[in-house]
Amino acid sequence: MNPKKLASDKAIEYVTDGMIVGLGTGSTAYWAIEALAKRVREGLNIRAVASSNHSEQLAKQGGIPLVPFSDIQLIDVTIDGADEVDSQLNLIKGGGGALLREKILAANSKTFIVIVDESKKVEHLGHFPLPVEIVPFAESLTIRQIQQLDCTTTIRTVEGKPFVTDNGNLIVDCEFGKILDPIELHKRLNLIPGVVENGLFPLMASKVIVGHLDGSVELIDSADSMN
């Protein structure tokens, strides 16, 4: 069994006729887009917005109708993956480089459903390096200020060249070790001039759906995680 596909198939059960659906980015979100495309071909009536150029292309290829952001006021449900999920449903995202657009969609959604395999559940965030999107202008000065928050930094590269986001920015992957206070770190990073956004999604997930290798699917609701 593919745990990512299991979680994706469960997530799209929350999608019904007439909804505006936010499409995430990455290997897990791919399965959700594929599953939604199949349901659209079977008659599901939805419109979608995408968090990356890649997801937009996947949606178009699958026949999912896309709508301009200017035509909507709110997204009914966004389905996306995560690189880490802690016990309070705080997330690290951005392994695919689309963290800014993903966060915009999540923040403007009635329901934000996160789909992961069991390996992404952790006690504390931080084993996965935290992506931080920065503007290219004076990048070294911005990185120096990030490092003052007690982390080591690496500019993300692809085939030896700096990775450039769909927004024309750079990604700095930051190793903090255990992140014990995601909310505070999120605030401190975003106060640094030159930082566009960071990959911490504190207390944003409505539900987390976990696919397991044994074929089972676990549903964690945000209300339950706070108890």
Side-chain angles (χ1 to χ4, degrees):
M1 302 297 290
N2 183 326
K4 294 180 179 180
K5 186 177 186 303
L6 287 171
S8 301
D9 288 346
K10 182 64 178 177
I12 66 166
E13 293 179 10
Y14 292 89
V15 179
T16 58
D17 270 342
M19 281 188 168
I20 302 293
V21 182
L23 306 176
T25 296
S27 60
T28 309
Y30 161 83
W31 289 107
I33 295 171
E34 288 288 295
L36 279 172
K38 181 175 184 294
R39 284 192 60 193
V40 166
R41 291 192 293 271
E42 293 170 350
L44 178 68
N45 176 30
I46 61 169
R47 294 180 296 163
V49 290
S51 59
S52 66
N53 295 336
H54 181 64
S55 292
E56 183 176 312
Q57 289 304 312
L58 285 175
K60 287 179 178 178
Q61 291 168 11
I64 299 174
L66 295 167
V67 60
F69 284 97
S70 58
D71 288 357
I72 64 172
Q73 294 184 336
L74 198 61
I75 300 166
D76 291 297
V77 59
T78 287
I79 301 173
D80 204 352
D83 299 298
E84 285 187 341
V85 181
D86 72 10
S87 59
Q88 300 300 307
L89 304 195
N90 298 303
L91 317 174
I92 284 182
K93 290 179 50 57
L99 62 97
L100 173 59
R101 297 189 184 190
E102 290 172 337
K103 190 172 283 188
I104 290 172
L105 263 61
N108 287 279
S109 299
K110 294 178 186 176
T111 303
F112 177 34
I113 300 176
V114 178
I115 48 179
V116 295
D117 64 63
E118 59 190 302
S119 69
K120 304 299 173 64
K121 286 180 67 179
V122 297
E123 184 178 355
H124 299 289
L125 302 180
H127 180 73
F128 190 91
L130 175 64
V132 178
E133 185 165 346
I134 67 170
V135 296
F137 176 77
E139 64 194 67
S140 60
L141 297 180
T142 303
I143 291 171
R144 197 167 294 128
Q145 289 206 44
I146 293 172
Q147 290 170 342
Q148 290 176 8
L149 298 180
D150 195 20
C151 67
T152 58
T153 58
T154 305
I155 295 179
R156 187 179 298 182
T157 59
V158 176
E159 298 179 350
K161 297 181 179 180
F163 172 85
V164 179
T165 70
D166 289 345
N167 313 303
N169 297 318
L170 304 175
I171 295 286
V172 180
D173 291 310
C174 306
E175 298 194 30
F176 284 93
K178 280 186 181 179
I179 299 175
L180 300 178
D181 191 342
I183 295 174
E184 180 62 22
L185 180 57
H186 176 269
K187 292 177 181 176
R188 293 181 70 183
L189 282 166
N190 283 1
L191 285 173
I192 296 174
V195 169
V196 179
E197 190 52 85
N198 72 83
L200 286 169
F201 284 53
L203 305 178
M204 294 183 71
S206 307
K207 304 176 189 296
V208 172
I209 299 175
V210 186
H212 291 266
L213 286 169
D214 64 5
S216 63
V217 178
E218 178 185 4
L219 173 63
I220 310 169
D221 191 274
S222 59
D224 297 334
S225 72
M226 299 304 291
N227 294 331

